[in-house]
Amino acid sequence: MAAPARAASAPGNGRSGGAGTSGATVGRRCGGGRGGVAVGRRCGGDRGGATVCLLAVGLVFVIVGVFGAAVEAARVARQRAAVAADFAALAAAAQALTGGEVACASADAVARANGARLAGCRLDGLDAVVATEVTVTPVPGLTRVATATARAGPARA
Protein backbone atom coordinates (compact mmCIF):
# COMPACT_ATOMS: atom_id res chain seq x y z
CA MET A 1 0.00 0.00 0.00
CA ALA A 2 1.27 3.41 -0.90
CA ALA A 3 1.64 6.21 1.62
CA PRO A 4 -0.68 9.16 1.17
CA ALA A 5 0.82 12.09 -0.70
CA ARG A 6 1.78 15.13 1.38
CA ALA A 7 -0.09 18.34 0.67
CA ALA A 8 1.96 21.17 -0.69
CA SER A 9 2.09 24.43 1.20
CA ALA A 10 -1.32 25.97 0.60
CA PRO A 11 -3.24 28.79 2.24
CA GLY A 12 -4.73 27.83 5.56
CA ASN A 13 -3.17 24.35 5.92
CA GLY A 14 -1.13 25.34 8.98
CA ARG A 15 2.28 24.96 7.34
CA SER A 16 4.67 27.88 7.39
CA GLY A 17 5.71 29.61 4.20
CA GLY A 18 3.43 30.30 1.30
CA ALA A 19 0.73 32.90 0.87
CA GLY A 20 -2.18 33.09 3.25
CA THR A 21 -0.40 32.08 6.44
CA SER A 22 -1.94 33.42 9.58
CA GLY A 23 1.19 35.26 10.73
CA ALA A 24 2.14 32.69 13.37
CA THR A 25 5.86 32.18 13.72
CA VAL A 26 5.88 28.50 14.58
CA GLY A 27 8.73 27.05 12.61
CA ARG A 28 10.27 30.39 11.52
CA ARG A 29 13.76 31.26 12.61
CA CYS A 30 13.92 34.36 14.84
CA GLY A 31 17.33 33.92 16.39
CA GLY A 32 15.99 32.81 19.78
CA GLY A 33 14.66 29.66 21.40
CA ARG A 34 16.15 26.20 20.86
CA GLY A 35 17.97 25.89 17.63
CA GLY A 36 16.83 29.31 16.48
CA VAL A 37 13.21 28.24 16.11
CA ALA A 38 10.58 30.39 17.83
CA VAL A 39 7.68 28.39 19.13
CA GLY A 40 4.54 30.40 20.00
CA ARG A 41 6.03 33.88 19.80
CA ARG A 42 6.32 36.57 17.16
CA CYS A 43 9.50 37.94 15.66
CA GLY A 44 9.55 41.74 16.17
CA GLY A 45 6.00 42.82 15.25
CA ASP A 46 3.88 44.60 17.89
CA ARG A 47 6.49 45.40 20.49
CA GLY A 48 5.38 48.63 22.27
CA GLY A 49 1.84 48.61 20.89
CA ALA A 50 0.32 48.67 24.36
CA THR A 51 2.44 51.69 25.26
CA VAL A 52 1.04 53.66 22.33
CA CYS A 53 -2.52 52.71 23.29
CA LEU A 54 -1.88 53.70 26.91
CA LEU A 55 -0.47 57.06 25.83
CA ALA A 56 -3.52 57.66 23.61
CA VAL A 57 -5.90 56.88 26.49
CA GLY A 58 -3.88 59.17 28.77
CA LEU A 59 -4.08 61.97 26.20
CA VAL A 60 -7.86 61.57 26.03
CA PHE A 61 -8.06 61.88 29.82
CA VAL A 62 -5.92 65.04 29.76
CA ILE A 63 -8.03 66.65 27.02
CA VAL A 64 -11.28 65.83 28.83
CA GLY A 65 -9.81 67.19 32.08
CA VAL A 66 -8.73 70.46 30.47
CA PHE A 67 -12.16 70.85 28.86
CA GLY A 68 -13.89 70.17 32.19
CA ALA A 69 -11.65 72.67 33.98
CA ALA A 70 -12.41 75.32 31.33
CA VAL A 71 -16.15 74.81 31.67
CA GLU A 72 -15.91 74.94 35.45
CA ALA A 73 -13.81 78.14 35.33
CA ALA A 74 -16.48 79.81 33.19
CA ARG A 75 -19.21 78.66 35.58
CA VAL A 76 -17.31 80.02 38.59
CA ALA A 77 -16.75 83.35 36.81
CA ARG A 78 -20.47 83.62 36.07
CA GLN A 79 -21.28 82.95 39.71
CA ARG A 80 -18.73 85.56 40.87
CA ALA A 81 -20.27 88.13 38.51
CA ALA A 82 -23.76 87.35 39.87
CA VAL A 83 -22.68 87.67 43.49
CA ALA A 84 -20.85 90.93 42.78
CA ALA A 85 -23.92 92.30 40.97
CA ASP A 86 -26.22 91.34 43.86
CA PHE A 87 -24.05 93.02 46.50
CA ALA A 88 -23.40 96.09 44.32
CA ALA A 89 -27.14 96.52 43.70
CA LEU A 90 -27.80 96.32 47.44
CA ALA A 91 -25.10 98.92 48.11
CA ALA A 92 -26.50 101.22 45.43
CA ALA A 93 -30.07 100.81 46.70
CA ALA A 94 -28.92 101.69 50.21
CA GLN A 95 -27.56 104.99 48.83
CA ALA A 96 -30.48 105.67 46.44
CA LEU A 97 -31.76 108.67 48.46
CA THR A 98 -28.38 110.41 48.16
CA GLY A 99 -28.43 110.45 44.34
CA GLY A 100 -27.38 108.33 41.43
CA GLU A 101 -23.71 109.36 41.40
CA VAL A 102 -23.12 108.47 45.04
CA ALA A 103 -25.14 105.25 44.73
CA CYS A 104 -23.19 104.10 41.66
CA ALA A 105 -19.86 104.97 43.30
CA SER A 106 -20.86 102.78 46.24
CA ALA A 107 -21.87 99.99 43.82
CA ASP A 108 -18.52 100.31 42.01
CA ALA A 109 -16.57 99.97 45.27
CA VAL A 110 -18.51 96.86 46.26
CA ALA A 111 -18.17 95.29 42.79
CA ARG A 112 -14.39 95.84 42.81
CA ALA A 113 -14.16 94.37 46.31
CA ASN A 114 -15.82 91.23 44.90
CA GLY A 115 -13.39 90.95 41.98
CA ALA A 116 -15.72 92.35 39.31
CA ARG A 117 -15.93 95.45 37.16
CA LEU A 118 -19.04 97.63 37.21
CA ALA A 119 -20.43 97.57 33.65
CA GLY A 120 -23.56 99.60 34.29
CA CYS A 121 -25.47 101.31 37.06
CA ARG A 122 -28.70 103.28 37.10
CA LEU A 123 -31.41 104.22 39.54
CA ASP A 124 -35.02 103.52 38.71
CA GLY A 125 -36.80 105.44 41.44
CA LEU A 126 -35.55 103.84 44.64
CA ASP A 127 -34.47 100.69 42.81
CA ALA A 128 -30.87 100.22 41.68
CA VAL A 129 -30.09 98.22 38.53
CA VAL A 130 -26.45 97.12 38.36
CA ALA A 131 -24.47 95.12 35.78
CA THR A 132 -21.05 93.62 36.52
CA GLU A 133 -18.40 91.79 34.49
CA VAL A 134 -15.76 89.25 35.49
CA THR A 135 -12.95 88.40 33.06
CA VAL A 136 -11.95 84.74 32.97
CA THR A 137 -9.18 82.88 31.12
CA PRO A 138 -10.33 79.23 31.16
CA VAL A 139 -7.53 78.09 28.83
CA PRO A 140 -4.32 80.02 28.09
CA GLY A 141 -4.97 82.25 25.10
CA LEU A 142 -8.76 82.21 25.51
CA THR A 143 -10.24 85.12 27.47
CA ARG A 144 -13.97 85.50 28.07
CA VAL A 145 -16.16 87.91 30.04
CA ALA A 146 -18.95 86.71 32.32
CA THR A 147 -21.68 89.27 32.95
CA ALA A 148 -24.56 89.51 35.41
CA THR A 149 -27.29 92.00 36.20
CA ALA A 150 -29.10 92.55 39.49
CA ARG A 151 -31.87 94.78 40.78
CA ALA A 152 -32.38 95.85 44.39
CA GLY A 153 -34.71 98.24 46.14
CA PRO A 154 -37.20 98.61 48.96
CA ALA A 155 -39.71 95.84 49.60
CA ARG A 156 -43.15 96.37 48.17
CA ALA A 157 -46.38 95.08 49.58
Side-chain angles (χ1 to χ4, degrees):
M1 213 182 216
R6 300 190 108 188
S9 179
N13 71 353
R15 297 177 185 266
S16 64
T21 57
S22 64
T25 59
V26 175
R28 283 180 59 196
R29 294 194 177 266
C30 290
R34 283 193 286 194
V37 176
V39 179
R41 70 182 178 110
R42 298 179 67 115
C43 299
D46 291 337
R47 299 199 82 147
T51 302
V52 173
C53 288
L54 184 63
L55 288 174
V57 169
L59 181 62
V60 167
F61 278 127
V62 168
I63 290 172
V64 168
V66 168
F67 179 74
V71 168
E72 188 63 22
R75 190 189 68 77
V76 167
R78 172 71 174 101
Q79 187 64 33
R80 284 181 50 203
V83 168
D86 287 342
F87 285 146
L90 288 171
Q95 299 291 328
L97 293 177
T98 61
E101 191 172 310
V102 174
C104 288
S106 177
D108 185 44
V110 171
R112 289 188 189 280
N114 281 284
R117 184 181 76 82
L118 190 67
C121 177
R122 67 180 173 85
L123 290 179
D124 184 16
L126 293 178
D127 290 347
V129 180
V130 174
T132 58
E133 295 178 344
V134 172
T135 303
V136 63
T137 306
V139 180
L142 179 68
T143 302
R144 295 288 184 244
V145 177
T147 61
T149 304
R151 180 181 198 103
R156 293 179 175 74

